[in-house]
Amino acid sequence: MNTNTKSGPLSARARDVVVAAGRGFVLALVSLPGAVLGFTLALVSIALVPVGIGLVTTPWVLGRVRAFADWRRRVAAEWCGVVIPSAYQPVPEGRPWTRTYTLLRDPAVWRDLRWLQVDMTAGYVTAVLPVALFLYPLEGIAVAAGLWRPLSQWGGYWYGFVHVTDQSSAFGAGALALLLLTLTPLAPRMVTAHFRLTRSVLGASQRELAERVRVLTETRRDAVDSSAAELRRIERDLHDGAQARLVAMGMDLGTIETLLDKDPAKAKQLLAQARQSSVDALAELRELVRGIHPPVLAERGLGDAVRALALRLPVPTEVNVELGGRAEAPVEAAAYFAVSEVLTNAVKHSGADRIWVDLHHEDERLRVTVTDNGKGGAVIGAGSGLAGVERRLGTFDGVLAVSSPAGGPTMVTMEIPCALS
């Protein structure tokens, strides 16, 4: 029983050392070439911004660097429970200059570049050490067991500070290996040290996290205000529309009861009027429900809901959908009503005779682009419909970009981070 008790922790520690060595090998294999390649491409691309080439390449290169950093964040959390906070600023779709300027103003981007320099130096060393702590003692034991003979053919072999030339010196190398073997339990700690070093450089600062909290607080307040305004609108529509019609229909039915014997013709006329009131009330209720959450959105998803929305527009609208699944219901609802608001603005104010809508999902982001061939001049400002769309998207960390020069065309791009199921 005591033997089992002792062997259990020993086998667990040995397994932890082997796992740490394997993880260190993966990190060492990836960190040095990945960091060198990413840092070099980023420097070259940023240097080419003044001549125009970098405007096209920089967003792509920095996007790959961000993906590399996010992969390290995920691995740190999964392997060692080290959480590395992220606070990137949203990057809107649009002109290359806008995307590049937004990226270069983001402190998180420059932190990524500093991290790449650390990752190719100290980060690489801390990744290699778990592998060395596991393999180097095994090498010394193999030398003492006879590996020294083929190695000594080249004038001897150095194992640490021991010059191995014969069996006695090989035993000395074995003794050193046994001493180093006592250090192998440090391998898991070295992997953790690697990720803590990564967090010290790559983690967001307290100021950035505070700014992130401030933005989230504002978007939450906007969401609450929008919900309250939506409830008031629903209450007003019910009171002024369907409720008023139902009250009138009830009064008509009461009048019909008194006229059935006295004036059947008049009763028949009021009955037809009551029937029409019920039809109108039902239509208003359906329109109200559609404004809350369209049934087609719940049943068939965002793509078909936008297609149905386009069919009701007075302007010919072409919809292109490339979605490999469905987003969460709140995200789909936010995207649907944002598209609805943008299309309404285009129909009312742009003077366009053609509208195009494109929906696709890429890089874990839902992108919706609405383009019209109208007169242009659309801006995001206080009191405009686009400001409301921006607030709606901000609730989900989404962004809105508008390109609308005088004379048109107008392109409105919306992005919401999300995954598809």
Side-chain angles (χ1 to χ4, degrees):
M1 182 174 180
N2 292 337
T3 304
N4 293 338
T5 303
K6 293 179 180 179
S7 63
L10 286 175
S11 62
R13 284 198 295 270
R15 183 173 61 252
D16 291 342
V17 170
V18 173
V19 170
R23 290 172 174 175
F25 178 75
V26 172
L27 291 171
L29 190 66
V30 173
S31 62
L32 183 61
V36 171
L37 180 63
F39 186 70
T40 303
L41 290 177
L43 283 186
V44 173
S45 183
I46 293 172
L48 293 176
V49 167
V51 299
I53 299 175
L55 295 177
V56 179
T57 59
T58 298
W60 185 87
V61 172
L62 294 182
R64 304 289 78 76
V65 170
R66 177 178 299 189
F68 184 51
D70 285 339
W71 173 79
R72 193 64 60 86
R73 288 185 176 93
R74 290 193 300 272
V75 169
E78 293 172 2
W79 288 359
C80 295
V82 178
V83 178
I84 304 176
S86 172
Y88 293 107
Q89 296 177 4
V91 182
E93 282 291 309
R95 299 175 180 176
W97 167 248
T98 303
R99 292 173 58 81
T100 302
Y101 180 70
T102 303
L103 283 167
L104 295 182
R105 289 181 65 240
D106 188 354
V109 169
W110 298 102
R111 184 168 54 246
D112 287 350
L113 297 182
R114 290 194 298 271
W115 165 70
L116 290 177
Q117 299 175 67
V118 174
D119 200 45
M120 69 178 71
T121 51
Y124 179 74
V125 172
T126 55
V128 167
L129 278 176
V131 187
L133 288 173
F134 175 69
L135 294 180
Y136 201 54
L138 298 181
E139 179 187 343
I141 294 173
V143 168
L147 185 62
W148 67 272
R149 290 185 175 87
L151 294 177
S152 63
Q153 295 178 3
W154 290 278
Y157 170 74
W158 285 93
Y159 180 79
F161 55 83
V162 178
H163 189 205
V164 181
T165 56
D166 52 22
Q167 186 62 57
S168 60
S169 57
F171 285 143
L176 178 60
L178 292 176
L179 180 62
L180 293 177
L181 195 63
T182 62
L183 300 179
T184 54
L186 295 177
R189 296 184 181 182
M190 294 309 304
V191 177
T192 303
H194 170 87
F195 289 125
R196 287 178 177 172
L197 174 65
T198 301
R199 181 177 60 186
S200 67
V201 183
L202 195 57
S205 65
Q206 291 297 322
R207 181 181 61 82
E208 291 173 302
L209 292 176
E211 175 65 16
R212 179 66 175 155
V213 170
R214 184 191 66 81
V215 172
L216 290 175
T217 301
E218 289 184 357
T219 56
R220 184 183 62 181
R221 184 174 62 248
D222 290 338
V224 172
D225 293 342
S226 298
S227 297
E230 188 70 10
L231 287 174
R232 289 192 298 269
R233 182 190 68 81
I234 294 170
E235 183 181 22
R236 184 178 63 252
D237 290 347
L238 284 172
H239 182 272
D240 297 340
Q243 179 178 327
R245 291 187 182 278
L246 291 174
V247 170
M249 187 173 63
M251 295 174 63
D252 288 342
L253 291 174
T255 304
I256 290 170
E257 287 180 346
T258 61
L259 292 177
L260 278 175
D261 296 329
K262 298 178 181 179
D263 191 351
K266 183 64 175 178
K268 186 176 181 180
Q269 180 182 352
L270 289 177
L271 190 60
Q273 182 177 331
R275 184 185 299 111
Q276 184 59 43
S277 295
S278 68
V279 172
D280 293 340
L282 183 59
E284 288 185 0
L285 286 174
R286 285 175 175 170
E287 189 65 27
L288 183 62
V289 170
R290 187 180 293 111
I292 298 172
H293 194 83
V296 66
L297 179 61
E299 296 170 3
R300 303 181 62 178
L302 180 61
D304 287 341
V306 172
R307 289 191 181 100
L309 182 64
L311 291 175
R312 298 197 301 269
L313 296 177
V315 177
T317 303
E318 180 180 335
V319 180
N320 178 47
V321 179
E322 295 180 4
L323 299 177
R326 296 191 59 174
E328 295 182 352
V331 173
E332 285 192 333
Y336 174 83
F337 287 112
V339 173
S340 177
E341 182 69 25
V342 172
L343 289 175
T344 301
N345 287 343
V347 171
K348 287 183 177 179
H349 307 298
S350 70
D353 58 15
R354 193 78 179 177
I355 300 175
W356 297 266
V357 182
D358 179 74
L359 296 90
H360 66 279
H361 187 266
E362 182 181 4
D363 297 333
E364 297 299 313
R365 302 179 75 86
L366 174 65
R367 290 189 177 93
V368 184
T369 303
V370 180
T371 308
D372 67 68
N373 61 354
K375 60 185 178 181
V379 294
I380 304 175
S384 72
L386 291 176
V389 172
E390 187 175 42
R391 288 194 299 271
R392 184 187 293 274
L393 297 177
T395 307
F396 298 89
D397 283 345
V399 293
L400 175 72
V402 179
S403 174
S404 184
T410 295
M411 176 183 291
V412 179
T413 303
M414 295 160 279
E415 285 191 2
I416 304 177
C418 68
L420 300 184
S421 61

